[in-house]
Amino acid sequence: MSDSLVVQGGTPLSGTVAVGGAKNAALKHMVAALMAPGRHQIENVPEILDVEIMGRVLEHVGALCRRDGKTLTIDVPEHPIPEAPLELVRQMRASILVLGALLARTGEARVALPGGDDFGSRPIDFHIEGLEAMGATFDLRHGVLYGAAPDGLVGTDVFLEFPSVGATENLLLAAVLAKGVTTIGNAAREPELVDLAQYLGSMGAKIDGAGTSTIEIHGVEGLTAASHRTVPDRLEAGTYLVAAAMTAGTVTVSDCRPEHLRMELRKLTAAGCEITTSATSVTLTGPERPVALDISTLPYPGFHTDMHPQMVTLLSVAEGTSLVTENIYAGRFRYLGELNRMGAEIHADGQHVVIRGVTQLSGCEVDACDIRAGAALTIAALRAEGETVIRDAHHLDRGYDGWVPKLASLGADIRRV
Ligand code: UD1
């Protein structure tokens, strides 16, 4: 039986919490390490389950991973095994990135099709089309994608239909060792992608324009192993800020990059929160009752899809009716039923969520169905009257390093059973 979290609601959070390195950057760095043989060192790596799973993917490929606190040392062999097995890939979608990395390094890749959070369909057609334009061929047999580029990948112009983060990253990895110049148009602009480009840059890759919509990559013959420090986790930071807002508390989130949370901070301000920032911290005081507002999730620098469940939870107790439109993953609404069991009045229609604010939530037994849903339900529980039991807490272990101790240090009455 999986662990549960037991939360007694009603205590305003207060104090300071430090955020760690970004999950969505560290996982990509681990794959990027495969691009250069030798010893890599990645610092500020969160101690979460997804990093462990990615470590197993790397070990399958022939790399050795060692963790010392928040530092990960990865020894990458001269000739990686170009294969990622189903039992690992199905647990974590980020592993699809090995496709671009292994094709570039070895000219072949056998990758089981990915799983990950249950958000309905999460296609990889943009990844495949881009890699095909660079000269790779693909064949899907028995759930395994066989990729080949025996003569190496060749740089070209790729224009993405949507600024997909995963597709941009996969093409970036493929392009750094391709022959000639690759241009990725309509590229994702996320801070984690910029961080990945910086790490590849310290290995010797030639990348211009990361963080803008057009990335130009000049392929090089080979890369050398390097060290890198992972960018702070803007989603972890944002989650603690919403938790503070929900409990009408005052919390400082330190070791973060407020400029990566501009849209999220704007919306929290509109909800009635008082916010001050320094270069590396955000202090938020939550209102007694939030103000209703409308939000649309969009690619960066828009409001992040991975902050949607937390924000819907905050708006569930707002004064008035809010509308949240999910433009990235319309399938991520399973947690709404659980929030409604706690007394929220929310309904989804297509990609839209209508939230009629209620004055109070009440604790009961709920199921976390993915990482951010688990965070959202914990946030609801922190304000709810009475006790909430959040089952399937292992989902939180995938994305939040020290979720329970960090919340407890802010005064939350929370324990794991
Ligand atoms: C998403 C988030 C990213 C976050 C990551 C981990 C966005 C835009 N992306 O990235 O910030 O770090 O989850 O939680 O917020 N799509 C296709 N075909 C493809 C690839 C994507 O149709 O080949 C569609 C997806 O269905 C989705 C959209 O494009 O609607 C964005 O997908 P993408 O950015 O690739 O998602 P992730 O890489 O999972």
Side-chain angles (χ1 to χ4, degrees):
M1 235 180 74
S2 127
D3 285 2
S4 297
L5 304 185
V6 181
V7 182
Q8 196 70 42
T11 315
L13 298 186
S14 86
T16 298
V17 62
V19 300
K23 154 180 158 339
N24 291 333
L27 294 174
K28 318 300 170 72
H29 296 154
M30 293 173 77
V31 177
L34 294 177
M35 301 305 293
R39 176 162 295 183
H40 296 253
Q41 207 165 59
I42 310 174
E43 285 167 35
N44 204 24
V45 177
E47 294 180 62
I48 53 174
L49 192 56
D50 274 12
V51 166
E52 253 177 62
I53 297 170
M54 189 61 93
R56 282 181 233 146
V57 173
L58 293 195
E59 272 163 18
H60 188 91
V61 164
L64 281 178
C65 299
R66 247 176 317 109
R67 184 188 264 288
D68 182 8
K70 306 284 180 203
T71 302
L72 205 60
T73 304
I74 307 175
D75 288 308
V76 176
E78 201 65 52
H79 300 288
I81 302 158
E83 183 183 80
L86 182 62
E87 67 268 22
L88 297 175
V89 179
R90 75 156 29 128
Q91 295 179 52
M92 191 184 42
R93 213 171 23 89
S95 39
I96 194 64
L97 271 200
V98 297
L99 199 59
L102 291 175
L103 270 173
R105 269 282 259 124
T106 70
E108 57 177 320
R110 299 183 291 280
V111 180
L113 281 187
D117 290 330
D118 184 7
F119 294 168
S121 140
R122 285 187 131 180
I124 55 160
D125 49 334
F126 304 158
H127 306 228
I128 302 296
E129 280 163 23
L131 293 169
E132 278 176 346
M134 295 177 75
T137 55
F138 291 96
D139 188 15
L140 177 65
R141 274 178 279 142
H142 309 293
V144 177
L145 197 58
Y146 291 77
D151 302 322
L153 295 165
V154 182
T156 186
D157 279 2
V158 180
F159 191 83
L160 296 174
E161 205 172 304
F162 185 93
S164 151
V165 177
T168 307
E169 290 165 338
N170 233 330
L171 295 173
L172 182 63
L173 291 177
V176 291
L177 289 179
K179 291 188 197 88
V181 181
T182 304
T183 308
I184 308 173
N186 199 21
R189 295 187 279 159
E190 315 234 335
E192 294 78 20
L193 188 104
V194 176
D195 201 39
L196 174 65
Q198 279 166 358
Y199 177 33
L200 289 166
S202 39
M203 290 185 217
K206 302 270 173 276
I207 303 166
D208 286 321
T212 75
S213 294
T214 307
I215 307 179
E216 193 177 277
I217 305 114
H218 290 252
V220 294
E221 288 279 319
L223 297 169
T224 45
S227 297
H228 186 75
R229 185 175 172 82
T230 304
V231 69
D233 196 322
R234 63 192 160 113
L235 300 171
E236 188 190 12
T239 301
Y240 287 112
L241 292 172
V242 177
M246 186 71 174
T247 61
T250 297
V251 167
T252 297
V253 173
S254 69
D255 299 18
C256 68
R257 300 274 293 273
E259 76 269 25
H260 294 161
L261 280 160
R262 285 183 67 175
M263 191 56 72
E264 290 76 14
L265 295 183
R266 180 193 293 199
K267 292 295 177 184
L268 283 166
T269 304
C273 300
E274 276 173 37
I275 294 176
T276 53
T277 59
S278 76
T280 56
S281 72
V282 182
T283 301
L284 178 146
T285 300
E288 273 314 308
R289 220 178 144 195
V291 179
L293 54 95
D294 296 346
I295 297 176
S296 288
T297 63
L298 285 169
Y300 186 83
F303 193 93
H304 201 296
T305 179
D306 282 354
M307 285 298 296
H308 139 176
Q310 301 89 313
M311 205 62 186
V312 165
T313 302
L314 177 66
L315 296 173
S316 74
V317 293
E319 199 151 359
T321 299
S322 305
L323 179 65
V324 173
T325 302
E326 174 54 60
N327 292 305
I328 314 293
Y329 285 114
R332 71 180 317 164
F333 291 151
R334 274 177 50 203
Y335 72 98
L336 292 180
E338 303 300 289
L339 273 184
N340 285 344
R341 296 185 59 238
M342 297 178 73
E345 288 184 17
I346 306 174
H347 75 266
D349 187 0
Q351 69 194 106
H352 304 289
V353 186
V354 178
I355 306 140
R356 294 202 175 82
V358 296
T359 49
Q360 185 57 301
L361 300 174
S362 63
C364 63
E365 207 166 289
V366 289
D367 291 335
C369 52
D370 63 62
I371 304 174
R372 309 300 167 189
L377 291 169
T378 313
I379 289 170
L382 291 172
R383 181 171 179 129
E385 183 244 313
E387 184 177 278
T388 304
V389 177
I390 300 152
R391 294 191 307 201
D392 291 339
H394 62 273
H395 285 294
L396 282 151
D397 302 335
R398 290 190 44 207
Y400 290 94
D401 186 351
W403 181 238
V404 171
K406 283 185 182 182
L407 283 172
S409 77
L410 296 173
D413 185 342
I414 182 169
R415 66 198 154 89
R416 190 174 178 125
V417 293

